[in-house]
Amino acid sequence: MSVPPLPIRPIDGAEFGALVRTVETAFGEAAHPDDIERERLVFEPDRSLAAFDGDRIVGGTWVFSFGLSVPGGELPAAGVTGVGVLPTHRRQGLLTRLMRRQVDDVRDRGEPLAALWASEAQIYGRFGYAPATFGAAHRIRKRGATALTRAPAAGGLVRLVDPDFALAAFPPVYDRTRSGRPGMPSRRGRWWEYQLLADPERHRSGHSDKQLITYTEADEVDGYAVYRVKPSWDDRGAPTGTVDVVELMAATPAAGAALWRHCLGIDLTTNVRAPRRPLDDPLPLWLDDPRQAQVVVADALWLRLVDVPAALSGRSYASTGRLTLDVRDAFCPWNDGRWTLETDGSEASCTRTRGSADLVLDQTDLAMLYLGGTTATGLTLAARIEERTPGAVARLDALFRVPLAPWAPEVF
Ligand SMILES: CC(C)(COP(=O)(O)OP(=O)(O)OC[C@H]1O[C@@H](n2cnc3c(N)ncnc32)[C@H](O)[C@@H]1OP(=O)(O)O)[C@@H](O)C(=O)NCCC(=O)NCCS
């Protein structure tokens, strides 16, 4: 007798704590009651899915609704999160069923994109997700006075601010930064209290509380940073503390220079760490000795084009052109087939065609190209794209090029 598959459905409000506890257990962590309350600030119950074994939740996931900045604007996106299956129920196909149902729901809601941060790189490729932005983790070992001699002068003021001030002053800076850069999610509703400004003591691991600073020039806040300090001392009693920059957002070069000068100038510290910086971060260019910065590059936001024509017609392009793509998409077969992309740069259309293809590629390759995080020329070197019309790879690169590297500054 075959066992019926475990039922999967959205949770009701009363089941929220149980869902969060299941996912925390899947991550090998324990959910603190305050964290469950904090999750509630942004939780959308109708976007949750849980698998039940009897009355016990054994796996789940949920989605944050946001707009993702794309070249030329933003598109509705599903921010996939809270993915976990209890160790007792793994490798029985539960995640596969959750992903199936979730992506169908995202499509029904008309969101062309889904995005996530992957705990392990092997998990999500089979569901069509691929790394679309990359982040640079900077580690700067200060020697003597680390100087930013190449950074612009800044005539404004850096000030420590309190969370209420930050709640009003930070979002406009974020939105200004985001308007020119693909890959950045919008931060709606109570997101700021939920993520960047949340500061429970148990998350500090020996660090200070979050220090909030702004850079103001001509009465306008042009930048902000959030950092923690971890004091430490060597055997001789010399200070060896670390500054951990949680987020630094600068709408102008002067703001960036002033905020980095502040973070690098903090007494009793010898290291500054800043994970998840954009690949074109000016910081290494500003250091007197660029070798003081060790940079580790890693995948950041993973993207899936849930609706290929809506995604391709919903961004702008760097030039005019027309290309027919033969897209392979095993998990979302509605995307499978040939699509003609035609654009004058700002407006674009993407329609099904019976015409011959210029390029053959998987949807995961298109997702990697979509925000400008990689090039078709690079993917061709990896033998991932087949060029049927000579010159089509170069034409695709000319269309998809973006001036600023895509950047996802925050894990969700
Ligand atoms: C990742 C996780 C959700 C997978 O759940 P699951 O129900 O076991 O997944 P499935 O049974 O649907 O697996 C589907 C396929 O993915 C593979 N797979 C799943 N998790 C994998 C992992 N961590 N590494 C490598 N392969 C993995 C399975 O082997 C299976 O392959 P197959 O189809 O060739 O047999 C679960 O292992 C988990 O909760 N891990 C800890 C928390 C975590 O990392 N969550 C992801 C957060 S981004």
Side-chain angles (χ1 to χ4, degrees), residues 47 107 127 147 179 192 239 358:
R47 306 219 66 178
R107 185 191 186 213
F127 310 120
S179 69
W192 289 86
D358 298 308

Side-chain angles (χ1 to χ4, degrees), residues 25-204:
T25 304
F27 273 87
E29 291 174 19
H32 189 282
D34 292 351
D35 288 333
I36 296 176
E37 287 315 305
R38 195 169 60 87
E39 289 288 345
R40 260 190 230 281
L41 292 176
V42 289
F43 185 66
E44 302 168 54
D46 62 324
R47 306 219 66 178
S48 68
L49 286 174
F52 289 82
D53 190 348
D55 56 7
R56 179 165 196 169
I57 297 179
V58 295
T61 175
W62 60 92
V63 161
F64 300 125
S65 311
F66 55 66
L68 188 71
S69 61
V70 301
E74 79 165 32
L75 284 179
V80 173
T81 188
V83 175
V85 170
L86 289 182
T88 45
H89 288 72
R90 284 183 189 153
R91 309 303 180 263
Q92 298 168 30
L94 271 185
L95 176 65
T96 307
R97 291 181 55 219
L98 289 163
M99 290 282 115
R100 170 80 274 142
R101 179 135 168 205
Q102 187 177 62
V103 80
D104 289 345
D105 178 60
V106 173
R107 185 191 186 213
D108 290 346
R109 288 168 184 264
E111 292 164 324
L113 305 173
L116 55 79
W117 288 79
S119 62
E120 292 188 277
Q122 301 94 321
I123 299 174
Y124 291 105
R126 71 190 71 230
F127 310 120
Y129 290 86
T133 79
F134 291 82
H138 294 293
R139 188 187 186 113
I140 297 157
R141 223 172 267 285
K142 297 198 287 177
R143 283 192 292 273
T146 294
L148 287 179
T149 47
R150 296 160 210 262
L157 274 180
V158 174
R159 274 193 294 236
L160 277 165
V161 299
D162 61 34
D164 283 343
F165 186 89
L167 204 51
F170 287 12
V173 175
Y174 182 80
D175 289 339
R176 279 164 74 193
T177 313
R178 185 175 170 260
S179 69
R181 198 179 279 273
M184 296 176 73
S186 60
R187 294 178 174 174
R188 294 179 179 161
R190 305 189 66 185
W191 188 270
W192 289 86
E193 296 150 80
Y194 163 65
Q195 278 276 77
L196 191 64
L197 299 176
D199 193 17
E201 181 137 14
R202 65 191 171 282
H203 291 180
R204 292 183 193 159

Side-chain angles (χ1 to χ4, degrees), residues 326-374:
D326 192 350
V327 179
R328 305 287 153 88
D329 193 342
F331 197 64
C332 294
W334 56 81
N335 288 326
D336 213 66
R338 275 164 286 166
W339 300 95
T340 296
L341 168 68
E342 192 156 13
T343 178
D344 63 4
S346 56
E347 301 287 317
S349 68
C350 182
T351 46
R352 258 203 196 283
T353 179
R354 288 166 189 239
S356 55
D358 298 308
L359 294 164
V360 183
L361 75 179
D362 194 84
Q363 179 281 140
T364 48
D365 300 313
L366 205 48
M368 288 184 77
L369 294 165
Y370 183 72
L371 299 171
T374 193

